[in-house]
Amino acid sequence: MNKITTLLFAVALVWGVTESAFAGNPDRQGEAGAAQLLLNPWAESAGLHSMTTSFVSGVEAMRINVAGLSRINKTEVQIGHGRYLEGTDILLNGLGVSQKVGESGAIGISLMSVDFGDIPVTTTDQPGGTGSTFSPSFFNLGIGYSHTFENKISVGVLFRGVSESIADVNAFGFALDAGVQYVTGENDNFKFGIALRNIGGRMQYGGEGLTTQGPSPNNGGYELTFNQRAADFELPSMLNIGLSYDFLITGGTHRITVLGNFTSNSFSQDQVGGGIEYSLKDFFMVRGGYRYEFGAGDADTFDDPIYTGLSAGATIAVPLGKDTPESRASRFAIDYAYRTTRVWNGTHNIGVRISI
């Protein structure tokens, strides 16, 4: 497949996902559920406020832009942990594996869960608590595939199952992600990406927890069990468009990457932002970014967002072999990120990954 054909294919896919994403109605802001799909457990991309649409790769691509899944050496394993809004005791946990398939493709699987801790059980008769606790189970499992054409254009698709439940109430749904990445320039300096995320059917809660006991009609003298139907809800679909440029200094020993990103949310305000990342031989990286949410500060219309917009992070990578002209050396890396918040004490992310 020549470059013109692959470029036309990518443009067609981009056009299709763009048309779908901008079909949302801004009057529906705040009506979506399954907010866990908006949370990021991976520290490397969190350090840039998840704005790495144009160059994210490997396991993290399954959360940001699945097209980057195939831009790995051979195999990548990653574990992520986040302390969401420090002080709320909400934890994020992620586990993912990506594996090269053939010369240009890759398949991956990722699992993310949200830990809310133990929540006291309260009732109308005992509003102070019954003495027992419960813990909601929120998790999502994604399986994705990506293919790179001539090392320039990558396309990918991911299917994700979404589950939210407590002991007697649950909801389950499916979501679809699709994305494109394009790389060009003398040293592949310029990168462009577009990703459509969380497209799927409506979800609805059900289970015994929604039933109530009540008297039978017409004074029958006995009680009946009534099932209450919960309202269904949509997934928080979004469209991400990003670009970046790598400035290579002294033959690539030092790399400075600048990036920009725009996010169109179907059920919340749109966002725009940018960031910068410095890398020393890909052994040490430090990064920071700022993301602005439209409507922030307009007290007459919108509440201020939780995040103030600032983010920062760092990576230390230890080589496990030698770089060769054919492939990049295996690496063990530790990532950390912090995002400031208007209330509570920010969100911390830490993760480890092995690339071979």
Side-chain angles (χ1 to χ4, degrees):
M1 184 177 290
N2 57 41
K3 294 182 179 180
I4 296 178
T5 304
T6 55
L7 182 59
L8 290 176
F9 176 79
V11 170
L13 180 59
V14 169
W15 176 262
V17 299
T18 303
E19 287 292 305
S20 300
F22 281 98
N25 182 352
D27 293 335
R28 299 181 299 169
Q29 292 175 13
E31 296 181 6
Q36 57 168 301
L37 296 175
L38 302 177
L39 305 181
N40 185 5
W42 310 118
E44 186 177 16
S45 54
L48 288 166
H49 247 315
S50 304
M51 298 185 296
T52 55
T53 308
S54 61
F55 61 89
V56 66
S57 63
V59 170
E60 295 200 19
M62 289 185 279
R63 178 59 54 169
I64 309 297
N65 183 356
V66 66
L69 178 63
S70 57
R71 295 188 179 275
I72 57 174
N73 188 25
K74 183 179 179 182
T75 305
E76 183 177 277
V77 180
Q78 189 163 350
I79 300 174
H81 175 75
R83 299 186 64 87
Y84 180 68
L85 303 178
E86 183 68 41
T88 63
D89 294 329
I90 299 176
L91 306 179
L92 310 177
N93 297 293
L95 173 64
V97 179
S98 57
Q99 174 65 48
K100 204 79 171 181
V101 178
E103 295 183 0
S104 303
I107 189 171
I109 182 170
S110 66
L111 173 67
M112 178 196 146
S113 66
V114 183
D115 182 359
F116 295 92
D118 294 327
I119 302 174
V121 174
T122 60
T123 66
T124 53
D125 295 329
Q126 296 176 288
T130 64
S132 60
T133 62
F134 73 100
S135 182
S137 175
F138 279 38
F139 73 90
N140 55 83
L141 175 68
I143 300 176
Y145 177 79
S146 171
H147 190 89
T148 301
F149 299 93
E150 300 183 2
N151 200 38
K152 292 296 183 182
I153 299 173
S154 298
V155 296
V157 63
L158 179 139
F159 297 93
R160 195 186 312 274
V162 185
S163 175
E164 301 181 353
S165 66
I166 56 176
D168 52 5
V169 176
N170 63 82
F172 187 82
F174 290 98
L176 172 70
D177 292 4
V180 175
Q181 283 183 341
Y182 177 67
V183 178
T184 188
E186 183 177 354
N187 297 299
D188 292 339
N189 304 67
F190 178 79
K191 300 178 177 68
F192 172 79
I194 182 169
L196 181 64
R197 297 190 53 228
N198 308 329
I199 302 301
R202 303 174 73 91
M203 293 178 61
Q204 184 178 32
Y205 282 98
E208 294 183 2
L210 296 179
T211 61
T212 58
Q213 295 288 330
S216 61
N218 301 321
N219 299 317
Y222 56 91
E223 289 194 341
L224 293 176
T225 299
F226 297 90
N227 182 39
Q228 302 181 75
R229 290 185 179 181
D232 55 9
F233 55 89
E234 295 190 58
L235 303 182
S237 58
M238 62 168 60
L239 174 72
N240 287 310
I241 302 174
L243 54 84
S244 61
Y245 189 86
D246 300 331
F247 294 92
L248 304 179
I249 305 171
T250 62
T253 300
H254 305 275
R255 171 180 58 83
I256 298 177
T257 299
V258 294
L259 65 93
N261 196 85
F262 171 76
T263 299
S264 175
N265 292 294
S266 295
F267 295 93
S268 62
Q269 287 298 296
D270 295 340
Q271 300 161 337
V272 65
I276 186 169
E277 178 181 80
Y278 166 76
S279 171
L280 174 62
K281 294 183 178 181
D282 288 337
F283 296 154
F284 173 74
M285 286 163 276
V286 61
R287 57 189 69 90
Y290 180 81
R291 186 180 67 184
Y292 173 76
E293 183 169 315
F294 294 101
D298 187 355
D300 295 332
T301 309
F302 304 106
D303 293 330
D304 286 338
I306 293 294
Y307 289 104
T308 66
L310 294 173
S311 66
T315 295
I316 297 177
V318 180
L320 303 177
K322 293 183 179 180
D323 286 321
T324 65
E326 293 78 18
S327 64
R328 181 181 175 184
S330 301
R331 281 174 166 79
F332 172 79
I334 299 176
D335 306 304
Y336 173 77
Y338 177 75
R339 287 166 285 170
T340 59
T341 55
R342 181 170 51 86
V343 292
W344 291 291
N345 297 311
T347 295
H348 300 265
N349 288 82
I350 189 169
V352 295
R353 51 192 166 92
I354 299 178
S355 303
I356 59 176

